[in-house]
Structures are given as structure tokens and as C-alpha cells.
Amino acid sequence: NKVEELKQNRASNTEAKKEKMEGKRDDRKEKIAERVADFVDKVKERLTATTNRFDKLILRIESRINKLDNLGATTTEAKVFLADAKAKLVIARADITNINASSSASTSTADLKTIYGGLKTQFEKAKDSLKAVQKALVKTITSLGPINAEFKSGKNASTTRSD
């Protein structure tokens, strides 16, 4: 009897310990999933803020191009670079949207390591897209530089002549 009681006690203790460990493991997985979801949200927020800054910069550059056009400058090269930057911005936004789609699936799936790896490559892809937008905007601004300087010096020359 005592031997059987001890066996039952051990069996029940082992099962209780197993259940306790499984509960802890599930809690840890949930916490990790929450941390990954928070991290994804923060990265998406930063990337979206960058696209918003690029939008504002594009508006300012368009305004400057229009102003130079009204003054009679030839800004076709800058317009081409700006159109390229806008197209790349659309691609970057699509990459960020892809992160949104996959991150919602990440919290429901159990294998967080593989999901995080996939998210990391998507983050890198979106970041590279934003870098391409930035390079295109730099090309646009660089192409406007000589035109801008020419018209500024022309204004200064005309004001000194009229004096």
C-alpha cells in the first residue's frame, strides 16, 4: 500500500510540475510575442515617420522647382529625379505595408524565431527602399543647386545694376 501511495504521489507531483512548467513556458512565449509586437510597432512608426518627412521634403522641392520654372529656369533633370524619388517612395510605403501584414500574423504563430527573421529582412528591405528615396532626393537637390545659384546671382546682379 505504501509503495503504491508513493508511486501515486510521485506521479501526481510529476504531472503537477509538468503542468506548472508548461504554464510558465506559455507565459514566456506570450511575453516574447508581446515584445516582438511592440518592437514591430515602434519600427513601423519610425519608418512611417520617415516617409512623412520625405513627403514634406518633396512638397518643398516641388515648390522650389515651380518657382524656378516661373523664373524661366530649365528644371527637367530635377523633375526627372523628383519623379524617381516619388516612385521609390511608393515602393517604400508598399514595403512598410508588407511589414504590417506579416506582423499581424506573427503574434498568432508559435515559432517566433523564424517570424522575427522574416520581419528583420522586411525591415531591412523597407530601410533600403527609404535610403533609395533619400538618394533620389539628394540627386534632385544637387541638380537644382547650380540653377538656384545662377538665379540668385542673377537677382543680385540685377539689383546692383539698378542701384
Side-chain angles (χ1 to χ4, degrees):
N1 287 341
K2 280 190 174 185
V3 175
E4 287 180 27
E5 271 183 50
L6 285 174
K7 284 183 181 179
Q8 279 183 335
N9 285 342
R10 282 185 189 158
S12 64
N13 284 342
T14 350
E15 286 198 26
K17 286 180 183 178
K18 282 182 182 179
E19 288 175 10
K20 187 177 178 181
M21 292 301 285
E22 285 177 17
K24 285 183 179 181
R25 193 174 301 130
D26 290 341
D27 289 343
R28 276 191 234 131
K29 283 183 180 180
E30 286 176 19
K31 286 181 183 178
I32 290 171
E34 286 175 19
R35 278 191 241 139
V36 168
D38 289 343
F39 175 72
V40 168
D41 289 341
K42 287 179 184 177
V43 170
K44 287 188 298 188
E45 192 176 301
R46 281 193 342 227
L47 294 174
T48 303
T50 303
T51 59
N52 293 339
R53 284 192 301 273
F54 283 149
D55 278 335
K56 291 176 186 175
L57 189 57
I58 286 173
L59 286 175
R60 290 177 63 194
I61 292 171
E62 282 177 335
S63 170
R64 187 66 190 157
I65 288 173
N66 290 337
K67 188 175 183 180
L68 289 171
D69 279 344
N70 291 338
L71 292 173
T74 307
T75 57
T76 53
E77 184 182 22
K79 287 178 183 177
V80 168
F81 288 140
L82 189 62
D84 183 40
K86 285 180 179 179
K88 289 179 179 179
L89 187 60
V90 169
I91 293 169
R93 279 209 172 93
D95 290 342
I96 294 170
T97 304
N98 289 340
I99 293 172
N100 289 340
S102 65
S103 68
S104 61
S106 72
T107 56
S108 62
T109 313
D111 195 9
L112 291 170
K113 286 183 181 180
T114 56
I115 291 167
Y116 181 71
L119 285 173
K120 191 174 179 181
T121 57
Q122 289 180 348
F123 291 151
E124 293 299 321
K125 184 178 179 184
K127 202 185 322 182
D128 290 343
S129 297
L130 290 173
K131 285 180 183 180
V133 173
Q134 192 258 349
K135 285 180 183 178
L137 288 173
V138 166
K139 282 183 182 179
T140 306
I141 294 169
T142 305
S143 70
L144 284 175
I147 300 167
N148 220 5
E150 179 183 321
F151 276 87
K152 280 186 179 180
S153 66
K155 280 184 179 179
N156 293 340
S158 65
T159 55
T160 53
R161 285 186 210 139
S162 63
D163 287 340

